[in-house]
Amino acid sequence: MFENIADAFVLFLNWDNILAVFAGVLIGTVTGAIPGMTTPMGVALVLPFTFSLNPVTGILLLLGVYKGGLYGGSITAILIKAPGTPAAACTVLDGFPLSRKGEARKALDIALYASVFADFMSNLALILMAGFLASFALQFGPPEFFTLIIFALTIIAGVSGDRLAMGVISACLGLILATVGLDIVYGTERFVFNEYELMAGLNFIPVLIGLFALPEILNHFTKPVFQDLETNALKGAHATFADFKRCFKSIFRGSLFGVVLGAIPGIGGAPAAFLSYSEAKRTSPRSANFGKGEIEGVAAAEAGNNGVAGATMIPLLALGVPGDVITAVILGAFMIHGLTPGPIMFQNNIDMIYAIFIGIMLSSAYLFLIGKLSIKYISRISDVPNRVLYPVVLILCTYGAYAVNNNLFDVLVMLVMGLVGFTLLRLDIPTAPFLIAFVLGPLLEDNFRQSLLLSEGSIDIFVRSPICIVFWCLTAITLGMLIKSYFSKPKTMATAESGR
């Protein structure tokens, strides 16, 4: 083990990796601070630039964007009531009222401290838990991986809030598109329509960029009226150690919520932020002040939000299952470099895993450094007119799609997927189940067909091992809870209406 750690330090300690982590956190913070630019969009735009980098450098660059983006969303949430990321929506509740009171600087400082602490806790959880899960996953064969992916897809489709049916539809669309190309066993064509470019399937990068970046651009330019955002100056005193101490209980608890929820595939930062916030409000002696400008509310929201960052990597590295949309993108980056996350990677590339762990810990320090030194300048990002910003983003999207294979067909795929994503956005259909199902679809089919080949066509192989039975039971419980909540929703709404 110590030899592997020494090899990891040798692998990590070069200027490319150190600068990649710094650049990633900076790019992510800037991206998160731009209203309309989501963290998945930022990671998607940076991904093509990692093709020429070595795997560790490329992965660390993407992870830096991920971590910086989670914090950057709080900047505009506090200053202009426009959360840069969905997970920062909870930060608005107390962050914006604080800035209206002239305490914007204090709110931003506490958001930074909570983000850094939660990010550090999440990184520790990743380092301590990923290896254990990977060693357990060595007992997995094709049937076990098939039932695991079924369970993961069930959770991911179910975390669509009140849009359960839409989440299922989105996941099914992703699975259908994942079948485009040549059959993995017999080599027959599927949905190719005599177009040889489609024989290799739809490329992940154009699909990703089209699904997440283009819809935001189209949505912006199709709005009939553009409203000016109410802004507040970056002013007021800095947060003190006493402020941090007062909020520490909520920060620690929110970090734990983030770690637990982040390790469950498909949940993400927004539910963790709101759960952390509601628990802080319930237990705080200043609960009446929540929503009116309570600094503890900002701390709780940002702790829950950032606590998921490292934890979402746990199922990705240990099991090869992405924890959210962004880790689905990072899974694509691994595959582009010829690597497959999971227990085999812990056996064959453990030095690379440890090098990524080192870089992840460094990212927490960079997050604090960038937040403290550049917040004054990054907060001005929101002043950039969208008429200037979005054309630049469109150029980056086109470059990113073309750079994969130097092929204009990929640009066409990006444009078509942009229209698909825009349609999903207008129909209020979540795109996260679509993307994750698209990524997991080939793995689902591959393990299913391998299992049938091993059993000579008998489906009994899917219930022969205790691990398969456990995953089937978890899937059944999840489906039961989803069906119950779906059918009890009208009753709850009717009760609420009668109570009025």
Side-chain angles (χ1 to χ4, degrees), residues 159-243:
V159 295
S160 306
D162 296 331
R163 299 166 293 165
L164 174 60
M166 296 300 183
V168 173
I169 291 172
S170 181
C172 289
L173 288 174
L175 288 174
I176 291 172
L177 281 188
T179 63
V180 173
L182 297 179
D183 181 277
I184 58 177
V185 175
Y186 298 107
T188 54
E189 297 179 358
R190 300 184 300 190
F191 303 110
V192 173
F193 306 109
N194 295 322
E195 178 59 60
Y196 78 93
E197 297 279 6
L198 289 176
M199 288 185 179
L202 294 175
N203 195 289
F204 174 72
I205 307 302
V207 171
L208 169 70
I209 295 175
L211 200 62
F212 283 94
L214 289 189
E216 297 295 337
I217 299 173
L218 292 173
N219 189 50
H220 171 76
F221 285 108
T222 54
K223 289 179 180 177
V225 178
F226 300 104
Q227 297 179 346
D228 292 329
L229 296 169
E230 183 180 358
T231 61
N232 294 280
L234 182 61
K235 57 186 179 180
H238 287 268
T240 63
F241 179 75
D243 293 323

Side-chain angles (χ1 to χ4, degrees), residues 16-101:
D16 289 344
N17 293 331
I18 295 172
L19 291 176
V21 179
F22 181 84
V25 174
L26 181 60
I27 292 170
T29 305
V30 171
T31 302
I34 301 174
M37 286 281 289
T38 63
T39 306
M41 185 193 299
V43 176
L45 292 176
V46 171
L47 180 57
F49 295 95
T50 67
F51 296 163
S52 60
L53 302 176
N54 71 62
V56 173
T57 307
I59 298 301
L60 290 177
L61 178 62
L62 297 177
L63 286 172
V65 176
Y66 181 13
K67 290 172 176 291
L70 287 177
Y71 165 67
S74 68
I75 297 173
T76 46
I78 292 169
L79 292 178
I80 62 176
K81 201 179 181 180
T85 59
C90 189
T91 308
V92 170
L93 301 179
D94 283 290
F96 187 69
L98 277 169
S99 66
R100 294 292 301 273
K101 294 178 181 179

Side-chain angles (χ1 to χ4, degrees), residues 15 63 112 152 178 201 210 223 232 277 289 295 317 319 334 338 351 397 428 462 494:
W15 284 110
L63 286 172
L112 175 63
K223 289 179 180 177
N232 294 280
Y277 181 86
N289 197 36
I295 200 167
L317 291 179
L319 304 173
F334 273 106
D351 55 338
C397 290
D428 202 24
F462 296 112

